[in-house]
Amino acid sequence: MELQDKIAIVTGAGSGIGRASSLLMAKQGAKVVLVDFNQTTGEETLQLIKEQGGEAIFVQADVSNSKDVQNYVQTAVDTFGRIDVFFNNAGVIQKFAPLAEVEDAEFDRIMSVNVKGVFLGMKYVLKVMENQGSGSIINTASTAGIRSEHSASIYSASKHAVVGLTKAAALEYVKKGIRVNAICPGGVKTALTSSVERMFTETGYVPEEVSVMRMGRYAEPNELAEMVVFLSSDKASYMTGSVVVVDGGLTL
Ligand code: ADP
């Protein structure tokens, strides 16, 4: 098992890539601290892990709130004694609109979760990993983090920031045994079946990952989870600061 006895934290564990990665990490032997804003879906993931014979706990938290972040990090340390893997994944999608039509409050909402949340998570987890002298962090960016995406300027900006934070942290902690990488999903099935799909109808805008289906389908969350587990594991020992695109050819 690739993550035997490793301690992992996963944010946004109640849905999509976060849930699939939590389940796969547990299957690979990790003990998982599940973090989500949504208590119901977070506890569902916990139940699914228990059903497959894995070990996990759930901590409700808003990743953009510093006290909540300190609490989930401390709970992980108090419960399991260390943090080997941090999948810094919780994020939100903006309401599609041309830049000049974006409401001020929408900017703050996207930035506080996607950028401040990712920053705070790394900040407190890095302190623990630095003391251990080891750890692997994976941040969820997006194909919107390496190029622009129509009608999603703030989301794109936030994901470019995730890429920037990933590279900065990778550089600063490379001598301390800590690896920091990012994944860039394109269109993933779960997100598209919920809030995003609703926005297509509301705004009349169909994003490129829907119109350009090079493989003729979206990604299954598990196709991202496989990469997350690989980056978490010692198999990826020479990878840090990498921005790994898993997009079915979307950005070709
Ligand atoms: P994806 O398909 O990219 O995984 P989802 O929207 O399915 O995206 O999952 C994102 C997860 O992040 C959801 O479970 C959601 O509840 C969680 N989340 C969103 N905002 C926050 C937040 N501020 N704090 C904690 N979790 C959050």
Side-chain angles (χ1 to χ4, degrees):
M1 289 204 277
E2 285 180 26
L3 302 178
Q4 188 67 53
D5 296 328
K6 299 233 191 226
I7 309 305
I9 299 178
V10 178
T11 68
S15 166
I17 303 164
R19 172 176 285 177
S21 301
S22 302
L23 290 170
L24 195 56
M25 284 180 185
K27 245 185 205 155
Q28 291 295 334
K31 294 170 185 166
V32 192
V33 177
L34 309 164
V35 177
D36 207 288
F37 193 58
N38 187 325
Q39 180 145 5
T40 309
T41 57
E43 283 177 349
E44 276 169 18
T45 305
L46 178 63
Q47 193 53 38
L48 291 168
I49 288 180
K50 286 186 174 162
E51 280 167 19
Q52 66 181 30
E55 195 173 338
I57 57 166
F58 170 71
V59 184
Q60 203 260 343
D62 176 351
V63 298
S64 65
N65 179 304
S66 186
K67 287 226 157 52
D68 282 13
V69 174
Q70 290 173 63
N71 180 55
Y72 77 64
V73 171
Q74 196 54 49
T75 304
V77 173
D78 291 346
T79 310
F80 296 117
R82 54 187 291 116
I83 303 167
D84 300 298
V85 173
F86 178 42
F87 184 29
N88 201 5
N89 163 72
V92 285
I93 284 186
Q94 87 169 87
K95 190 172 187 300
F96 295 129
L99 194 146
E101 308 299 326
V102 176
E103 287 170 16
D104 298 3
E106 181 69 346
F107 177 92
D108 293 338
R109 182 179 76 90
I110 300 301
M111 288 297 174
S112 73
V113 180
N114 292 6
V115 184
K116 193 176 177 195
V118 165
F119 157 67
L120 288 172
M122 283 209 287
K123 171 173 170 167
Y124 291 104
V125 167
L126 278 166
K127 286 180 201 277
V128 176
M129 289 181 169
E130 200 173 357
N131 286 334
Q132 297 170 176
S134 67
S136 173
I137 296 176
I138 302 99
N139 295 321
T140 298
S142 164
T143 47
I146 53 170
R147 52 152 210 184
S148 61
E149 208 144 272
H150 203 281
S151 297
S153 52
I154 311 310
Y155 181 74
S156 291
S158 75
K159 293 300 186 176
H160 275 73
V162 172
V163 169
L165 283 169
T166 301
K167 290 180 179 175
L171 179 62
E172 288 176 9
Y173 290 85
V174 67
K175 294 266 170 58
K176 294 175 176 164
I178 303 166
R179 298 182 297 103
V180 187
N181 295 288
I183 54 159
C184 293
V188 181
K189 208 170 181 183
T190 49
L192 287 159
T193 49
S194 53
S195 60
V196 179
E197 213 156 57
R198 211 162 47 237
M199 279 192 281
F200 300 161
T201 7
E202 277 172 23
T203 63
Y205 165 65
V206 179
E208 201 177 357
E209 64 261 31
V210 179
S211 55
V212 185
M213 296 272 283
R214 297 194 203 277
M215 285 194 177
R217 64 178 181 84
Y218 306 118
E220 297 292 337
N222 219 43
E223 294 178 297
L224 277 304
E226 291 285 353
M227 179 52 67
V228 173
V229 166
F230 175 74
L231 291 171
S232 304
S233 77
D234 297 335
K235 283 189 175 172
S237 52
Y238 202 60
M239 289 185 75
T240 196
S242 293
V243 179
V244 182
V245 176
V246 184
D247 72 347
L250 171 67
T251 48
L252 287 173

